[in-house]
Amino acid sequence: MSKQSQQQNFVHQVIGHNKQKHRLVPQKAQGTGHAPVNIALSKYWGKRDAILNLPTNGSVSISLPGLGTETQIKPLIDSNERRDKVSLNGEILDENNPFAQRVSAFLNHFRKDKNSFFDVITVNSVPTAAGLASSASGYAALVLALNDLFEWQLADKELSLLARLGSGSASRSLFSGFSVWHQGQQEDGLDSYAEAIDTQWPEFCVGLLEIDVKQKPVSSTQGMQNTVETCALYQAWPEQANKDMQVIQNAIQTKNFTTLGKTAEHNALTMHATMIATWPPIVYWQPESVEAMHKVWQLREQGVEVYFTMDAGPNLKLLFLETEKPAVKQAFADIKILEPFKQ
Ligand code: PMV
């Protein structure tokens, strides 16, 4: 079966299109969706199925309210061009733009017929300066907008499954607070979705440390594939990552910040170790990233309880409790501090 039809089958199973043809008929003039970005505390790195975006391990994340994507979608009518109209942050993208192409490829699963196109307006409230990936919030917001346009009234589980198809980490961006993305075992991918973890932790802070906001040199999809194929150390990753995920889930439930912070930092460094041991090597770090890590370790030696995590880029995300806010601010003058449970 081709990639397109495998994905199409998956989508039909989730939205129930086979049974009810009207699932792909817009029920209103436009649909809207909003979703936050999320930061993984134990990471997703590696796909066991690249077509359905199925991970080799589960992951846990925290969403950042106030930073995310707002999407509007409507059927494109009276257009001579036989393609979607996609705009990002106020700019209409041309057909060769990679973002527009990815969005259109995703929307191929949701066309009533080959003549139906969409008008998509996407606004990212992720400040470029934050150095955060917006694909997670982007696909989650797009799925919410489609759910609204077609009035599917899907449950969170189904929304998460659809978002996962766009970008793995998007499965976790449907929720506020902490969430867990289950690895799943089934070949059809219907058991690999994220759920909210029902714990409020008002003192929990995330600090965004901008090192460099340029486009990453290797995409996460490409990076994961190279790691899985060429890194011998990677064999140890899925088991370790699943253990870390359990430890972090327990630490969230018991509000054990020390265990959460240590495990999250260790997990991120383990993931980066597999990247570095890939061929060709993937080193997302800049000298300033390493400098910031040393600063975090120095702070810890001085008794300030702060940890870091990093994704497929050079920027650090610091984890600490409210009591450490003054010390963290003093050490990192340009840090942007977010309190995910206080709005
Ligand atoms: O969802 P993707 O394909 O952008 O991959 C995300 C990978 C990491 O950000 C490095 C880890 C994670 O779990 O978010």
Side-chain angles (χ1 to χ4, degrees):
M1 212 192 296
S2 72
K3 174 178 172 175
Q4 176 72 16
S5 33
Q6 264 192 65
Q7 293 183 338
Q8 194 74 36
N9 267 353
F10 176 78
V11 167
H12 289 174
Q13 274 173 290
V14 177
I15 65 171
H17 170 47
N18 285 341
K19 286 172 228 122
Q20 300 147 294
K21 204 76 183 144
H22 71 266
R23 292 300 256 177
L24 294 179
V25 178
Q27 302 293 310
K28 57 210 291 199
Q30 72 165 39
T32 57
H34 174 80
V37 301
N38 74 79
I39 309 275
L41 300 172
S42 72
K43 311 287 184 187
Y44 148 56
W45 195 250
K47 301 177 204 254
R48 66 172 196 280
D49 180 331
I51 293 176
L52 295 178
N53 259 350
L54 299 175
T56 51
N57 60 276
S59 50
V60 177
S61 64
I62 175 84
S63 291
L64 303 181
L67 298 183
T69 304
E70 186 89 50
T71 297
Q72 282 176 17
I73 187 163
K74 49 188 172 193
L76 190 61
I77 19 189
D78 299 335
S79 168
N80 297 328
E81 292 191 63
R82 295 185 41 78
R83 62 185 182 92
D84 302 312
K85 182 174 160 194
V86 180
S87 94
L88 176 63
N89 295 338
E91 189 194 330
I92 298 177
L93 304 177
D94 74 51
E95 63 186 310
N96 301 319
N97 181 287
F99 175 82
Q101 286 178 347
R102 264 187 87 181
V103 168
S104 278
F106 186 69
L107 290 174
N108 283 342
H109 305 309
F110 305 99
R111 301 187 202 283
K112 187 164 67 339
D113 52 54
K114 60 183 189 336
N115 298 317
S116 51
F117 297 98
F118 296 99
D119 183 350
V120 188
I121 299 174
T122 300
V123 178
N124 283 332
S125 68
V126 183
T128 342
L132 287 168
S134 50
S135 73
S137 56
Y139 281 102
L142 183 55
V143 164
L144 287 168
L146 287 164
N147 185 51
D148 188 31
L149 179 71
F150 295 118
E151 289 186 345
W152 291 327
Q153 298 179 337
L154 295 179
D156 287 347
K157 174 181 166 181
E158 277 75 32
L159 294 169
S160 174
L161 285 169
L162 291 181
R164 189 203 75 214
L165 197 62
S167 162
S169 54
S171 64
R172 303 183 306 237
S173 263
L174 272 321
F175 312 99
S176 56
F178 298 108
S179 59
V180 52
W181 173 16
H182 305 289
Q183 172 194 329
Q185 302 293 339
Q186 290 168 213
E187 248 176 65
D188 63 12
L190 291 169
D191 59 350
S192 182
Y193 58 91
E195 285 181 295
I197 298 176
D198 190 21
T199 300
Q200 299 288 310
W201 198 339
E203 301 81 18
F204 197 91
C205 298
V206 177
L208 304 177
L209 215 55
E210 175 207 330
I211 305 291
D212 187 346
V213 293
K214 281 200 294 292
Q215 189 89 24
K216 49 192 169 198
V218 184
S219 73
S220 24
T221 296
Q222 189 60 52
M224 284 179 203
Q225 197 184 324
N226 291 357
T227 305
V228 172
E229 283 169 9
T230 71
C231 171
L233 301 185
Y234 185 77
Q235 286 175 12
W237 168 259
E239 197 185 325
Q240 185 59 45
N242 279 332
K243 273 189 200 151
D244 291 345
M245 183 181 98
Q246 281 307 327
V247 172
I248 289 181
Q249 274 180 279
N250 289 341
I252 291 171
Q253 263 138 29
T254 55
K255 297 208 177 153
N256 184 338
F257 183 74
T258 305
T259 300
L260 184 148
K262 274 187 191 166
T263 313
E265 185 174 306
H266 198 177
N267 177 274
L269 289 170
T270 306
M271 175 183 75
H272 280 270
T274 71
M275 294 165 167
I276 294 167
T278 291
W279 198 262
I282 310 168
V283 184
Y284 288 111
W285 300 351
Q286 297 290 331
E288 295 84 352
S289 318
V290 180
E291 215 174 282
M293 290 178 200
H294 282 283
K295 222 162 148 181
V296 168
W297 294 326
Q298 259 163 27
L299 281 172
R300 283 219 295 275
E301 266 167 33
Q302 292 159 14
V304 180
E305 205 173 7
V306 52
Y307 300 89
F308 66 83
T309 184
M310 290 178 79
D311 295 297
N315 305 300
L316 273 72
K317 289 102 186 187
L318 305 193
L319 309 170
F320 51 94
L321 293 178
E322 204 176 10
T323 41
E324 308 291 31
K325 221 160 115 176
V328 171
K329 264 190 185 160
Q330 205 188 352
F332 299 98
D334 299 327
I335 198 162
K336 181 173 168 52
I337 298 180
L338 298 154
E339 293 170 283
F341 298 93
K342 286 188 189 166
Q343 295 173 59

